[in-house]
Amino acid sequence: MNTRVVRMPKYPECWQSCGSCASGDVFILEVLVAPGDRLERDDNILTLETGKVALDIPTPCAGRVVEVHVIAGDRVDEGAPLVTLAID
């Protein structure tokens, strides 16, 4: 079985320039998937709360969720593992 770990993407560049969207902590508001779920590319896997906006994070590829590495309330850094997918 081929697997792929989906990681927290790079924060948008605007967060560093103005900082308005990312004021406060960045944390997971809601996890939208569970082990066993089948995902298509660009399906949302979680919603982040950034202090000013809620931001959906999509999956970059299709697959079946094998493991979820985060829960609601977790603070996540760029590159942090979010889910592991089994790739068909």
Side-chain angles (χ1 to χ4, degrees):
M1 168 176 51
N2 289 332
T3 61
R4 177 171 178 183
V5 176
V6 178
R7 297 184 177 276
M8 180 64 197
K10 179 176 170 57
Y11 294 145
E13 290 181 19
C14 67
W15 288 16
Q16 281 118 23
S17 59
C18 78
S20 179
C21 293
S23 61
D25 289 326
V26 176
F27 65 92
I28 296 174
L29 183 64
E30 182 179 15
V31 177
L32 305 172
V33 299
D37 288 354
R38 174 81 186 142
L39 301 177
E40 298 300 323
R41 183 184 171 153
D42 293 328
D43 283 350
N44 291 328
I45 56 175
L46 59 86
T47 303
L48 288 179
E49 173 64 44
T50 67
K52 294 277 186 170
V53 297
L55 180 66
D56 289 327
I57 303 297
T59 181
C61 59
R64 184 181 45 81
V65 178
V66 176
E67 185 175 0
V68 178
H69 302 284
V70 293
I71 61 172
D74 282 353
R75 280 148 176 69
V76 290
D77 293 322
E78 183 180 313
L82 302 174
V83 299
T84 298
L85 297 177
I87 307 301
D88 300 330

